[in-house]
Amino acid sequence: TVWFKIKMIVLLLIILNAIFIARPAGVKLKQLLALDQPAETASNFEVFAVKRKMTFFYFTQFVLFLAIFILSSFQFN
């Protein structure tokens, strides 16, 4: 039952990660892409900042899913 509790905590972290990192970054990216600006403007820095946040999100999601897989496959004693 300890493993189940740990997996549920990791699942909660996955959900919180999506809510607090991916959603705001996705909204900001949609706003930036909706602007009719040339690619060489100052907003280019903002696009890279959003891209960095999305990369962090995908990396953390991968690590958390990998942790759930490992906890499901192996039971450490």
Side-chain angles (χ1 to χ4, degrees), residues 1 7-8 12 16 18-19 23-24 29 37 47 60-61 68:
T1 62
K7 286 189 280 188
M8 288 300 114
L12 179 65
L16 291 175
I19 291 171
R23 186 172 179 182
L29 185 60
Q37 296 181 9
V47 172
T60 55
Q61 290 291 90
I68 288 178

Side-chain angles (χ1 to χ4, degrees), residues 12-57:
L12 179 65
L13 290 174
I14 288 172
I15 293 169
L16 291 175
N17 189 28
I19 291 171
F20 292 116
I21 295 177
R23 186 172 179 182
V27 169
K28 181 68 175 174
L29 185 60
K30 285 180 186 178
Q31 290 172 352
L32 290 173
L33 293 177
L35 299 175
D36 292 329
Q37 296 181 9
E40 310 300 330
T41 61
S43 68
N44 206 11
F45 175 74
E46 293 175 335
V47 172
F48 287 126
V50 172
K51 183 180 175 186
R52 192 170 37 236
K53 287 181 185 177
M54 293 301 286
T55 301
F56 175 74
F57 164 73

Side-chain angles (χ1 to χ4, degrees), residues 60-75:
T60 55
Q61 290 291 90
F62 173 73
V63 169
L64 292 172
F65 277 118
L66 187 64
I68 288 178
F69 175 75
I70 290 171
L71 289 172
S72 298
S73 299
F74 307 106
Q75 189 162 8

